[in-house]
Amino acid sequence: MILVDTSAWIEWLIGSATGEQLADRLPEQADWLVPTMVQLELAKWLTREVGEDKADQVIAFTQVCQVVELDTAIALGAAEACRDHRLATADAIIFATARARGAALLTCDGHFEGLPGVTLIEKVRN
């Protein structure tokens, strides 16, 4: 099971050099864990950057994956991650979701660097 962070989704969707590196690490759709927080961030970014039709297509893709809603256990894990790792709320929810489900976290976001269970793919600078 792999949780793909919003930063990795975006790199993959825009087809960047970093996204190309990520492509080989992306799981089969059945093994793709998608927190509702990632759906929110994707919908917000996609609507702003490429329009509502593309946002609808990507969200439809996420709904075929394993969607994980924010529950009390994840919320409390996120609060702990905020405190222990100084993560912003959204990042803490994503991290806590991966931990709660025993999933690896695939990201391009340096805020996650060095955290357990995280694979950080640094952005390729052009």
Side-chain angles (χ1 to χ4, degrees):
M1 193 68 53
I2 297 178
L3 191 160
V4 180
D5 179 49
T6 309
S7 62
W9 270 94
I10 291 170
E11 294 297 326
W12 178 62
L13 289 168
I14 66 174
S16 70
T18 304
E20 290 175 17
Q21 288 182 357
L22 288 163
D24 292 336
R25 296 175 182 257
L26 297 176
E28 296 294 320
Q29 201 167 8
D31 294 327
W32 201 311
L33 197 65
V34 182
T36 50
M37 178 58 68
V38 168
Q39 287 179 315
L40 179 152
E41 290 180 328
L42 283 173
K44 180 179 165 186
W45 184 86
L46 287 161
T47 300
R48 181 183 68 235
E49 298 297 323
V50 294
E52 200 166 318
D53 287 342
K54 182 66 173 178
D56 289 345
Q57 290 172 10
V58 173
I59 297 304
F61 176 90
T62 69
Q63 290 175 314
V64 180
C65 302
Q66 293 189 39
V67 176
V68 181
E69 294 183 9
L70 178 60
D71 62 17
T72 301
I74 293 171
L76 294 175
E80 185 177 313
C82 285
R83 183 185 66 242
D84 294 349
H85 305 296
R86 298 185 181 188
L87 292 174
T89 300
D91 289 342
I93 291 169
I94 291 165
F95 179 71
T97 302
R99 303 277 297 182
R101 291 298 181 96
L105 174 58
L106 180 61
T107 186
C108 300
D109 185 342
H111 293 109
F112 293 106
E113 186 172 12
L115 296 182
V118 172
T119 300
L120 175 65
I121 306 298
E122 294 194 25
K123 291 184 182 181
V124 176
R125 304 288 178 207
N126 295 332

